[in-house]
Amino acid sequence: MSAHRARKPDLPIRRAGSEDVAGILALEQLFPGDRMSARTVRRLLQSATARVWVADSPPADARIAGSVVLFLRRNSRWGRIYSLVVAPHARGHGLGARLVACAEREARANACAGVSLEVRADNEVARSLYRSLGYLEHALLPAYYDDGAPGVRLRRHFVGTEQ
């Protein structure tokens, strides 16, 4: 038996719809705090400035494997990843990077200079993912989260765009 984990097939990623609210909320329960409410998710799905994608688990598993929310703010050349969650059963197979790539493609298509995001300072797994994707530390955010935990703002500037 190989020491390497078997690669799971790439899970399909699609734009989220109203039928995905419960699945997105289930993923939100994986966060230690600052979770989105059902009302917030429904509002994001209708918003002209938010994009939400989900990755479906295999058909035998009704759960959503991951989601990402991107904000395209008016009067800003920066897209903002508001939320990225990958379910434990889908981790370690590149899904987080694929979800970030969806957000980045949309940001580029909307003439953004790059993407920014905030992450808990103690979330080393997420920080490692973002580092591997070219995100750099932009600012430390003391007591940023509801529970008082510090955050870190990360940014990835797209090559060939003005800052």
Side-chain angles (χ1 to χ4, degrees):
M1 183 165 188
S2 171
H4 298 287
R5 283 202 284 188
R7 175 143 171 87
K8 289 185 179 180
D10 286 340
L11 299 172
I13 297 174
R14 61 179 172 77
R15 285 290 292 270
S18 59
E19 70 279 7
D20 298 309
V21 171
I24 293 168
L25 290 173
L27 287 174
E28 283 290 310
Q29 294 305 307
L30 300 172
F31 281 124
D34 289 353
R35 297 179 189 122
M36 289 188 285
S37 67
R39 179 179 177 190
T40 298
V41 173
R42 284 191 295 273
R43 187 173 37 87
L44 291 175
L45 292 171
Q46 299 298 315
S47 172
T49 60
R51 306 291 188 274
V52 183
W53 292 268
V54 294
D56 291 317
S57 289
D61 184 346
R63 296 176 292 180
I64 291 175
S67 68
V68 64
V69 177
L70 174 73
F71 289 155
L72 298 169
R73 298 173 291 194
R74 292 180 186 92
N75 303 318
S76 176
R77 297 245 5 246
W78 287 86
R80 178 176 175 234
I81 293 177
Y82 178 69
S83 175
L84 172 69
V85 190
V86 175
H89 74 274
R91 292 180 184 158
H93 301 282
L95 182 56
R98 291 179 55 228
L99 287 164
V100 169
C102 284
E104 289 176 349
R105 277 192 300 274
E106 186 74 7
R108 285 178 195 267
N110 282 274
C112 290
V115 174
S116 69
L117 59 96
E118 295 80 30
V119 64
R120 287 176 71 96
D122 62 359
N123 189 344
E124 191 50 46
V125 171
R127 291 178 71 182
S128 177
L129 168 68
Y130 292 122
R131 255 192 312 275
S132 75
L133 298 174
Y135 285 77
L136 302 174
E137 196 171 288
H138 183 72
L140 298 175
L141 308 167
Y144 183 74
Y145 290 94
D146 286 347
D147 64 0
V152 179
R153 179 164 296 125
L154 304 175
R155 280 188 161 182
R156 178 169 182 226
H157 182 259
F158 299 145
V159 176
T161 60
E162 296 179 23
Q163 283 191 327

